[in-house]
Amino acid sequence: MIPTITAFKASPDRGRGMARDFRVRWALEEVGQAYDVRLVTFEEMKAAAHLALHPFGQIPTYEADGLALFESGAIVLHIAEGRPGLLPADADGRARAIMWMFAALSTVEPPIVERSMAALLERDQPWYAERLPMLDARVRQRLDELARRLGDADWLDGAFSAGDLMLVTVLRRLGSAGLLEDYPTLNAYIARGEARPAYQRAFAAQLAVFEAASAGG
Ligand code: GTB
């Protein structure tokens, strides 16, 4: 059965692949799994039918063969576990790739999201200018640590894995914040991820949604 995922009908990121359905699309493309997308409005996300799938009324969700999942990390892990391509065959390598997925989501993503939410919601507040250096410092700490660990390697732990997929999508959230400029190896790491054919296909698919919505008014 072809899985169905949910994504924004009108993504606020204007087709930049920043919303969390993108990592799911990318994972599906990496393993060569065809998928359908159900586009939802903000109103539909908060309606009973979607809340039955996702208790927090968010995207993405994943449905296939009677299984319904929410949380992008759990969805990517499920996709990676069921098909070759995103997790190493050996048990230890597999455990380390999953460790990097968790690291991306629970150690790297929070300070990045906190900074982007402040930039979005608090920019006009009197405390914003004072708070921003602290938010930047928290992100930079993680970038320093990641750059140190990655060194000159192409990927986090040998071949490209679901850990890299997750970390690249998390780092991309820094977007135009300017913080990545001081980290050439991390920039190159993100660029390697973005150059993957599966990434390109996933990006084009989500961009097409934005373009269709824009064309429709
Ligand atoms: N922990 C969950 C997961 O990983 O799946 C978080 C899911 C989540 O935050 N979903 C967001 C959502 O549904 C979309 S991705 N929000 C609607 C709501 O909560 O009501 C977050 C997101 C949105 C927009 C941009 N952007 O415009 O750049 C980037 C990221």
Side-chain angles (χ1 to χ4, degrees), residues 8 11-14 16-21 23-24 42 45-46 50 54 56-61 70-75 105 109 113 116-117 120 166 173:
F8 284 130
S11 180
D13 74 355
R14 305 177 61 80
R16 289 179 299 131
M18 296 293 180
R20 289 183 175 92
D21 61 292
R23 52 187 63 158
V24 174
F42 276 89
M45 277 191 286
K46 310 302 172 194
H50 189 76
H54 196 310
F56 310 120
Q58 296 181 315
I59 59 98
T61 59
F70 60 93
E71 282 298 330
S72 59
I75 297 170
L105 294 177
E109 191 166 53
V113 169
S116 60
M117 291 311 281
L120 188 69
M166 204 55 83
R173 293 267 327 246

Side-chain angles (χ1 to χ4, degrees), residues 12-139:
D13 74 355
R14 305 177 61 80
R16 289 179 299 131
M18 296 293 180
R20 289 183 175 92
D21 61 292
F22 180 70
R23 52 187 63 158
V24 174
R25 291 173 182 271
W26 185 7
L28 287 161
E29 293 287 354
E30 286 286 349
V31 301
Q33 172 65 61
Y35 62 100
D36 290 328
V37 183
R38 189 168 64 251
L39 300 174
V40 287
T41 61
F42 276 89
E43 200 181 13
E44 285 164 345
M45 277 191 286
K46 310 302 172 194
H50 189 76
L51 287 171
L53 281 175
H54 196 310
F56 310 120
Q58 296 181 315
I59 59 98
T61 59
Y62 169 103
E63 293 157 84
D65 300 317
L67 173 69
L69 294 174
F70 60 93
E71 282 298 330
S72 59
I75 297 170
V76 170
L77 181 56
H78 176 71
I79 293 165
E81 281 187 321
R83 304 147 181 98
L86 280 173
L87 289 174
D90 70 292
D92 287 359
R94 217 175 165 82
R96 287 195 302 272
I98 295 168
M99 168 187 76
W100 275 114
M101 289 181 67
F102 277 85
L105 294 177
S106 62
T107 303
V108 184
E109 191 166 53
I112 292 177
V113 169
E114 197 180 355
R115 188 196 182 280
S116 60
M117 291 311 281
L120 188 69
L121 303 174
E122 298 173 29
R123 192 174 282 280
D124 297 330
Q125 300 298 333
W127 63 78
Y128 179 68
E130 220 173 312
R131 190 161 178 249
L132 188 60
M134 178 203 69
L135 296 172
D136 281 354
R138 285 191 188 151
V139 173

